[in-house]
Amino acid sequence: MSDEQDPGNPFDRALADGRSEVTSTASEVDLRDDDDAEFVSEGMGAETDIENRAGGHYTPECIKHTLQRLLKHGLLESDRRPNEYALALAHQPELNRLLEPLDFELRIDEIRGLALLAIHRPFADQDSEDGDPGHLLVRRQRLTLDQSLLVAILRQHYIVHEQDAGIGAGDASLSIDDLLPQLQVFFGDSGSDSKNENRVRQLLDQLQAHAIVSEVDSAGQFTLRPVIAHLANPEALKALLGHYDKLVNRES
């Protein structure tokens, strides 16, 4: 199966349009770092409502910081940036008021501990003639068909994880060996275990940039992050798998 981008990929469209929960996770979300501690000392003690000061409109630094982090990464996770997530949860109306001119909105998944930046639904429903949502600030990150298939399989694994451990259980631990049998149904067997593993590892490395998975370690282990539950709806996943089945049957 070719890794070339497929403009007809239904899963990619679901990621880009308003039916997807997350607009874009522009880069791997950082683990908790030093500026999170700085945020605690400077932000959490500040006034948390937008107010007028010295005759002008003033937005507290803590809200500015959280808003900028949302615009940069697309999401905040409670287990990685707990203080920023807590502020987003407590001040969702203020943040949404600031996001409204940009046709974005903040959505909170309290069970999974996620604060998500999304396209405002009324805007997302206004598709252009070519089907593109047309939001000028959203960087369209088209996935290849192989990447999209892997996302669908990973989401199935995460559903099983939540069924076993409960919704909100956090990251799911997986290995490349867990994925190979399912992927080989569609990719076929190259005849070389190392080639099969390297192909999956390469796809996982590409998805890491979307904050879906962690880095794969030397033993082929990685963690699957809760944001995958918001990347596409079940209808989009079903359409993707049906599309892939047709391609496989066409080649057989």
Side-chain angles (χ1 to χ4, degrees):
M1 184 64 62
S2 171
D3 282 340
E4 293 296 318
Q5 293 181 353
D6 179 6
N9 182 344
F11 184 76
D12 176 65
R13 171 170 169 71
L15 283 175
D17 69 17
R19 289 177 288 280
S20 171
E21 292 292 327
V22 183
T23 60
S24 170
T25 48
S27 61
E28 173 73 4
V29 178
D30 299 332
L31 297 178
R32 184 174 179 179
D33 51 26
D34 292 341
D35 64 356
D36 190 55
E38 181 181 351
F39 172 79
V40 178
S41 60
E42 294 185 359
M44 298 302 285
E47 291 291 335
T48 53
D49 58 329
I50 299 175
E51 59 186 357
N52 292 321
R53 290 191 179 181
H57 194 63
Y58 175 81
T59 302
E61 288 299 320
C62 57
I63 290 183
K64 288 181 183 178
H65 183 98
T66 302
L67 183 65
Q68 290 166 9
R69 185 71 65 174
L70 276 168
L71 290 170
K72 179 179 180 181
H73 294 297
L75 80 156
L76 299 171
E77 298 169 287
S78 61
D79 60 342
R80 289 174 170 83
R81 307 199 71 85
N83 298 299
E84 291 172 351
Y85 171 80
L87 192 139
L89 180 63
H91 301 285
Q92 186 178 7
E94 292 97 320
L95 289 165
N96 272 331
R97 190 158 63 249
L98 293 169
L99 289 167
E100 190 278 333
L102 303 178
D103 282 312
F104 287 136
E105 63 183 5
L106 171 63
R107 300 178 193 168
I108 303 291
D109 181 347
E110 290 190 60
I111 297 177
R112 296 184 178 91
L114 300 174
L116 308 162
L117 183 67
I119 298 174
H120 187 53
R121 281 196 174 95
F123 180 90
D125 291 338
Q126 300 173 10
D127 287 354
S128 61
E129 292 182 0
D130 62 357
D132 193 287
H135 198 297
L136 296 178
L137 298 180
V138 174
R139 184 176 64 186
R140 188 179 179 89
Q141 300 184 58
R142 185 176 295 279
L143 299 180
T144 67
L145 199 57
D146 289 355
Q147 290 170 344
S148 299
L149 175 66
L150 179 56
V151 170
I153 291 173
L154 288 173
R155 180 162 179 179
Q156 289 178 336
H157 278 278
Y158 196 76
I159 290 172
V160 172
H161 167 69
E162 289 195 325
Q163 288 173 341
D164 292 340
I167 297 177
D171 295 347
S173 297
L174 289 173
S175 70
I176 290 177
D177 289 340
D178 295 327
L179 303 176
L180 280 172
Q182 289 173 282
L183 288 171
Q184 285 178 359
V185 171
F186 298 99
F187 294 165
D189 190 343
S190 69
S192 167
D193 290 343
S194 61
K195 286 184 179 179
N196 292 336
E197 181 177 334
N198 287 338
R199 183 175 189 178
V200 179
R201 186 182 290 272
Q202 182 180 18
L203 289 171
L204 288 169
D205 287 344
Q206 293 163 359
L207 293 184
Q208 185 186 351
H210 297 271
I212 299 171
V213 297
S214 69
E215 183 178 2
V216 183
D217 65 20
S218 59
Q221 303 285 330
F222 64 95
T223 56
L224 180 57
R225 295 165 66 170
V227 70
I228 195 167
H230 292 269
L231 286 179
N233 57 33
E235 290 77 14
L237 294 175
K238 184 176 180 180
L240 168 68
L241 293 175
H243 182 63
Y244 222 113
D245 282 335
K246 289 179 182 178
L247 292 178
V248 171
N249 292 333
R250 190 183 306 163
E251 293 181 358
S252 61

